[in-house]
Amino acid sequence: MVLPDAEVQNRAPLNWDLIAGNWKQLKGNVLEEWGKLTDDHISETAGKREQLMGKIQETYGVSKEEAGRQVDEFAASLHDALFSKPKHQDRNR
């Protein structure tokens, strides 16, 4: 889920407290973004930015700066996952 630079700049990253508070709901998004991370890796990070960066560094062999860039892009992309309204199947209820 890599966003073009212009799209990332137009979205402010979410507050990491908000991300951590919704971590269980976001696990699927994290696995989709970083498929080599395990459920245990994701659970261990508990939505903490620095810990997630460390797991990405270890697993993918990238620099701290690159891991930070990826995590920030991911956070910017989460707005829709957290705030989009569910579509109702039957509006007549």
Side-chain angles (χ1 to χ4, degrees):
M1 177 187 321
V2 177
L3 297 174
D5 287 339
E7 195 172 337
V8 170
Q9 291 172 358
N10 291 333
R11 289 188 181 174
L14 292 176
N15 177 302
W16 275 93
D17 290 335
L18 180 62
I19 292 171
N22 290 282
W23 195 242
K24 287 182 182 180
Q25 294 88 330
L26 296 171
K27 281 184 177 182
N29 299 75
V30 176
L31 282 172
E32 187 176 309
E33 182 71 22
W34 295 286
K36 290 183 181 179
L37 295 181
T38 66
D39 284 332
D40 287 343
H41 287 144
I42 294 168
S43 294
E44 289 170 13
T45 65
K48 294 182 180 95
R49 183 180 182 275
E50 295 295 322
Q51 288 185 0
L52 179 58
M53 286 173 51
K55 295 295 181 187
I56 293 167
Q57 283 179 263
E58 286 176 25
T59 305
Y60 288 91
V62 298
S63 68
K64 181 176 183 176
E65 292 78 17
E66 175 60 18
R69 185 192 65 74
Q70 289 181 21
V71 167
D72 289 344
E73 283 184 5
F74 176 71
S77 73
L78 288 178
H79 186 274
D80 291 340
L82 288 174
F83 297 109
S84 63
K85 294 180 181 179
K87 295 180 182 177
H88 295 286
Q89 296 291 337
D90 184 0
R91 295 178 188 240
N92 294 326
R93 288 186 184 194

